[in-house]
């Protein structure tokens, strides 16, 4: 019975992947997107998500080479060069996440089912099965969002790393060491928005992770970008991604190792007592925190459902006149109550709050509740 059911679900999965692939592949190529979400629990009985990554060849190491390679690749695709499809398949990988089911299922049966879905994904994408990286997404139970894979999982999986490009920016991607790979696709539109408005602005990227927002801000011509994270590992990855895109000026691009909650609290206190100088304020702040974090490196326990109001207030207190805060969350439980926030600054500047969730959801996440986002802008 299970064999027939698994075969039926594999066919459903394959058909959905084929349809989505046809829909998204041209869109991705047209928009210079090399990695995107192809499937996201579209079918309830198939609780998987599938992310596709096309790596750049190993000899492509900078933006100019990447742009040249992609232009050439697109020209060959237009001329129906069959060889280019085979070459792309060699550089294409996928991460297949299985979401923890809300009910008990026999572990061996689950493994067998998961393997069959991975085989189906490889066949549908026309890539080798070894290019499918399988991961389990468990419901968070008090660990950091950017959780590292357990040692046994890492031993069983060969390291898969490479460079990919997104809208002209380059990023290091690690498919195997962590649950997440270093680039959150759902924030692609917000990253682009930051790039569009960053010219000559000072930018603060909190909980910066691997620095993708920082890269886009720097590309947009920001005069100053500060990336803050408690993890040295992530700060180093952020530096590497910035360096990949030729942003190495130590006076303009700053990396601060700090607990973001405490960092904000200290800055906000200085703003309240009048000791925060004008040049210490920021024109743009990006606040995209984990839903929950109790890192061993700090006494702070972050619960965004509880703490979002104070974090947003602290950010507003250190913005420049005319400055803007972009606050986003993956928490489905957070209720954004505007009445809990100030309607104006101490100096009387109006704070304009706009829900930008709808416009911040990319095409490959349409119909999902991947995040919620707000723009909070201070009048000049």
């Amino acid at each position: 019975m299970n064999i027939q059911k698994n075969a039926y679900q594999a066919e459903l999965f394959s058909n959905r992947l084929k349809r989505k692939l046809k829909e998204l592949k041209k869109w991705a190529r047209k928009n210079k997107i090399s990695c995107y979400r192809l499937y996201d629990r579209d079918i309830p009985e198939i609780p998987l998500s599938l992310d596709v990554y096309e790596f750049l060849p190993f000899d492509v190491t900078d933006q100019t080479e990447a742009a040249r390679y992609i232009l050439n690749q697109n020209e060959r695709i237009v001329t129906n060069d069959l060889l280019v499809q085979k070459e792309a398949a060699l550089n294409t990988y996928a991460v297949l996440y299985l979401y923890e089911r809300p009910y008990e299922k026999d572990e061996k049966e689950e493994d067998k089912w998961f393997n069959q879905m991975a085989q189906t994904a490889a066949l549908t994408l026309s890539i080798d099965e070894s290019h499918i990286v399988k991961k389990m997404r468990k419901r968070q139970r008090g660990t950091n969002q950017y959780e590292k894979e357990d040692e046994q999982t890492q031993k069983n999986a060969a390291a898969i790393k490479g460079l990919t490009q997104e809208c002209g920016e380059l990023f290091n991607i690690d498919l195997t060491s962590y649950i997440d790979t270093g680039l959150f696709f759902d924030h692609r539109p917000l990253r682009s928005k930051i790039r569009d408005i960053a010219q000559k602005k000072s930018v603060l990227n909190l909980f910066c992770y691997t620095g993708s927002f920082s890269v886009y801000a720097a590309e947009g011509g920001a005069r100053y970008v500060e990336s803050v994270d408690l993890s040295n590992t992530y700060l180093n990855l952020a530096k590497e991604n910035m360096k990949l895109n030729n942003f190495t000026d130590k006076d303009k691009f700053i990396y601060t190792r700090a607990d973001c909650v405490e960092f904000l609290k200290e800055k906000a206190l200085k703003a309240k007592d009048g000791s925060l100088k004008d040049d210490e304020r920021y024109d743009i702040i990006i606040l995209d925190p984990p839903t929950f974090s109790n890192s061993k490196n700090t006494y702070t326990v972050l619960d965004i459902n509880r703490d979002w109001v104070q974090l947003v207030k602290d950010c507003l207190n250190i913005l420049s006149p005319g400055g803007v805060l972009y606050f986003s969350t993956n928490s489905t439980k957070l209720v954004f109550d505007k009445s809990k926030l100030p309607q104006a600054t101490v100096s009387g500047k109006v704070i304009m709050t706009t829900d930008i969730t709808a416009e911040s959801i990319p095409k490959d996440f349409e119909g999902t509740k991947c995040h919620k986002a707000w723009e909070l802008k201070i009048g000049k």
Side-chain angles (χ1 to χ4, degrees), residues 290-307:
T291 300
F292 189 92
S293 178
N294 61 346
S295 171
K296 63 184 179 181
N297 295 321
T298 177
Y299 293 111
T300 303
V301 175
L302 173 66
D303 180 348
I304 197 60
N305 299 315
R306 178 194 66 201
D307 301 330

mmCIF file of all heavy atoms in Angstrom, residues 290-307:
data_model
loop_
_atom_site.group_PDB
_atom_site.id
_atom_site.type_symbol
_atom_site.label_atom_id
_atom_site.label_comp_id
_atom_site.label_asym_id
_atom_site.label_seq_id
_atom_site.Cartn_x
_atom_site.Cartn_y
_atom_site.Cartn_z
ATOM 1 N N PRO A 290 16.069 36.778 13.970
ATOM 2 C CA PRO A 290 15.507 35.421 14.082
ATOM 3 C C PRO A 290 14.265 35.466 14.958
ATOM 4 O O PRO A 290 14.084 36.384 15.759
ATOM 5 C CB PRO A 290 16.633 34.622 14.733
ATOM 6 C CG PRO A 290 17.449 35.635 15.460
ATOM 7 C CD PRO A 290 17.379 36.880 14.641
ATOM 8 N N THR A 291 13.405 34.487 14.805
ATOM 9 C CA THR A 291 12.196 34.430 15.628
ATOM 10 C C THR A 291 12.539 34.181 17.090
ATOM 11 O O THR A 291 11.938 34.767 17.991
ATOM 12 C CB THR A 291 11.265 33.319 15.104
ATOM 13 O OG1 THR A 291 10.913 33.623 13.750
ATOM 14 C CG2 THR A 291 10.000 33.210 15.940
ATOM 15 N N PHE A 292 13.549 33.349 17.294
ATOM 16 C CA PHE A 292 13.948 33.025 18.657
ATOM 17 C C PHE A 292 15.439 32.749 18.678
ATOM 18 O O PHE A 292 15.965 32.105 17.762
ATOM 19 C CB PHE A 292 13.182 31.805 19.172
ATOM 20 C CG PHE A 292 13.388 31.534 20.644
ATOM 21 C CD1 PHE A 292 12.529 32.065 21.575
ATOM 22 C CD2 PHE A 292 14.451 30.750 21.078
ATOM 23 C CE1 PHE A 292 12.715 31.827 22.941
ATOM 24 C CE2 PHE A 292 14.654 30.510 22.428
ATOM 25 C CZ PHE A 292 13.776 31.049 23.368
ATOM 26 N N SER A 293 16.137 33.233 19.698
ATOM 27 C CA SER A 293 17.573 32.958 19.812
ATOM 28 C C SER A 293 17.991 32.998 21.274
ATOM 29 O O SER A 293 17.665 33.946 21.995
ATOM 30 C CB SER A 293 18.381 33.987 19.013
ATOM 31 O OG SER A 293 19.767 33.743 19.164
ATOM 32 N N ASN A 294 18.700 31.956 21.682
ATOM 33 C CA ASN A 294 19.286 31.947 23.035
ATOM 34 C C ASN A 294 20.733 31.509 22.944
ATOM 35 O O ASN A 294 21.156 30.559 23.561
ATOM 36 C CB ASN A 294 18.483 31.052 23.986
ATOM 37 C CG ASN A 294 18.439 29.599 23.533
ATOM 38 O OD1 ASN A 294 18.791 29.292 22.385
ATOM 39 N ND2 ASN A 294 18.022 28.710 24.416
ATOM 40 N N SER A 295 21.497 32.227 22.138
ATOM 41 C CA SER A 295 22.900 31.893 21.904
ATOM 42 C C SER A 295 23.679 31.792 23.211
ATOM 43 O O SER A 295 23.473 32.567 24.149
ATOM 44 C CB SER A 295 23.539 32.965 21.005
ATOM 45 O OG SER A 295 24.938 32.766 20.939
ATOM 46 N N LYS A 296 24.604 30.839 23.261
ATOM 47 C CA LYS A 296 25.445 30.643 24.449
ATOM 48 C C LYS A 296 26.422 31.801 24.643
ATOM 49 O O LYS A 296 27.055 31.930 25.690
ATOM 50 C CB LYS A 296 26.208 29.320 24.348
ATOM 51 C CG LYS A 296 27.180 29.262 23.163
ATOM 52 C CD LYS A 296 27.821 27.896 23.061
ATOM 53 C CE LYS A 296 28.772 27.829 21.854
ATOM 54 N NZ LYS A 296 29.390 26.490 21.726
ATOM 55 N N ASN A 297 26.564 32.666 23.607
ATOM 56 C CA ASN A 297 27.510 33.777 23.682
ATOM 57 C C ASN A 297 26.923 35.026 24.340
ATOM 58 O O ASN A 297 27.597 36.056 24.420
ATOM 59 C CB ASN A 297 28.000 34.140 22.278
ATOM 60 C CG ASN A 297 28.814 33.007 21.658
ATOM 61 O OD1 ASN A 297 29.586 32.359 22.350
ATOM 62 N ND2 ASN A 297 28.641 32.780 20.372
ATOM 63 N N THR A 298 25.668 34.952 24.771
ATOM 64 C CA THR A 298 25.052 36.115 25.399
ATOM 65 C C THR A 298 24.016 35.662 26.419
ATOM 66 O O THR A 298 23.488 34.560 26.343
ATOM 67 C CB THR A 298 24.371 37.014 24.346
ATOM 68 O OG1 THR A 298 23.732 38.107 25.003
ATOM 69 C CG2 THR A 298 23.333 36.245 23.550
ATOM 70 N N TYR A 299 23.748 36.544 27.384
ATOM 71 C CA TYR A 299 22.698 36.260 28.362
ATOM 72 C C TYR A 299 21.313 36.602 27.814
ATOM 73 O O TYR A 299 20.302 36.234 28.386
ATOM 74 C CB TYR A 299 22.945 37.067 29.648
ATOM 75 C CG TYR A 299 24.192 36.634 30.386
ATOM 76 C CD1 TYR A 299 25.311 37.466 30.455
ATOM 77 C CD2 TYR A 299 24.250 35.393 31.023
ATOM 78 C CE1 TYR A 299 26.455 37.062 31.131
ATOM 79 C CE2 TYR A 299 25.388 34.983 31.696
ATOM 80 C CZ TYR A 299 26.487 35.823 31.746
ATOM 81 O OH TYR A 299 27.618 35.420 32.410
ATOM 82 N N THR A 300 21.282 37.340 26.711
ATOM 83 C CA THR A 300 20.018 37.768 26.131
ATOM 84 C C THR A 300 19.278 36.603 25.488
ATOM 85 O O THR A 300 19.863 35.828 24.746
ATOM 86 C CB THR A 300 20.258 38.849 25.046
ATOM 87 O OG1 THR A 300 20.960 39.940 25.633
ATOM 88 C CG2 THR A 300 18.940 39.337 24.472
ATOM 89 N N VAL A 301 18.011 36.486 25.789
ATOM 90 C CA VAL A 301 17.150 35.528 25.103
ATOM 91 C C VAL A 301 16.182 36.336 24.254
ATOM 92 O O VAL A 301 15.390 37.125 24.782
ATOM 93 C CB VAL A 301 16.376 34.637 26.098
ATOM 94 C CG1 VAL A 301 15.403 33.733 25.350
ATOM 95 C CG2 VAL A 301 17.342 33.806 26.933
ATOM 96 N N LEU A 302 16.270 36.175 22.952
ATOM 97 C CA LEU A 302 15.425 36.935 22.037
ATOM 98 C C LEU A 302 14.192 36.134 21.645
ATOM 99 O O LEU A 302 14.301 35.011 21.154
ATOM 100 C CB LEU A 302 16.209 37.305 20.771
ATOM 101 C CG LEU A 302 15.404 37.960 19.642
ATOM 102 C CD1 LEU A 302 14.899 39.328 20.073
ATOM 103 C CD2 LEU A 302 16.238 38.061 18.375
ATOM 104 N N ASP A 303 13.049 36.713 21.897
ATOM 105 C CA ASP A 303 11.776 36.154 21.449
ATOM 106 C C ASP A 303 11.081 37.284 20.696
ATOM 107 O O ASP A 303 10.559 38.213 21.303
ATOM 108 C CB ASP A 303 10.939 35.694 22.639
ATOM 109 C CG ASP A 303 9.590 35.108 22.219
ATOM 110 O OD1 ASP A 303 9.207 35.274 21.043
ATOM 111 O OD2 ASP A 303 8.920 34.500 23.063
ATOM 112 N N ILE A 304 11.106 37.230 19.375
ATOM 113 C CA ILE A 304 10.644 38.362 18.589
ATOM 114 C C ILE A 304 9.169 38.673 18.816
ATOM 115 O O ILE A 304 8.750 39.837 18.742
ATOM 116 C CB ILE A 304 10.942 38.151 17.074
ATOM 117 C CG1 ILE A 304 10.851 39.489 16.315
ATOM 118 C CG2 ILE A 304 10.027 37.114 16.484
ATOM 119 C CD1 ILE A 304 11.807 40.538 16.788
ATOM 120 N N ASN A 305 8.375 37.664 19.123
ATOM 121 C CA ASN A 305 6.953 37.913 19.398
ATOM 122 C C ASN A 305 6.763 38.781 20.635
ATOM 123 O O ASN A 305 5.800 39.536 20.733
ATOM 124 C CB ASN A 305 6.204 36.590 19.578
ATOM 125 C CG ASN A 305 6.264 35.731 18.333
ATOM 126 O OD1 ASN A 305 6.070 36.214 17.232
ATOM 127 N ND2 ASN A 305 6.548 34.451 18.502
ATOM 128 N N ARG A 306 7.700 38.676 21.551
ATOM 129 C CA ARG A 306 7.660 39.465 22.784
ATOM 130 C C ARG A 306 8.448 40.766 22.663
ATOM 131 O O ARG A 306 8.035 41.813 23.184
ATOM 132 C CB ARG A 306 8.245 38.620 23.920
ATOM 133 C CG ARG A 306 8.326 39.296 25.278
ATOM 134 C CD ARG A 306 9.232 38.498 26.212
ATOM 135 N NE ARG A 306 10.625 38.503 25.752
ATOM 136 C CZ ARG A 306 11.534 37.585 26.111
ATOM 137 N NH1 ARG A 306 11.194 36.583 26.899
ATOM 138 N NH2 ARG A 306 12.776 37.675 25.652
ATOM 139 N N ASP A 307 9.571 40.728 21.955
ATOM 140 C CA ASP A 307 10.546 41.819 22.001
ATOM 141 C C ASP A 307 10.490 42.796 20.828
ATOM 142 O O ASP A 307 11.234 43.782 20.820
ATOM 143 C CB ASP A 307 11.964 41.225 22.073
ATOM 144 C CG ASP A 307 12.166 40.337 23.291
ATOM 145 O OD1 ASP A 307 11.518 40.595 24.319
ATOM 146 O OD2 ASP A 307 12.961 39.383 23.199
#
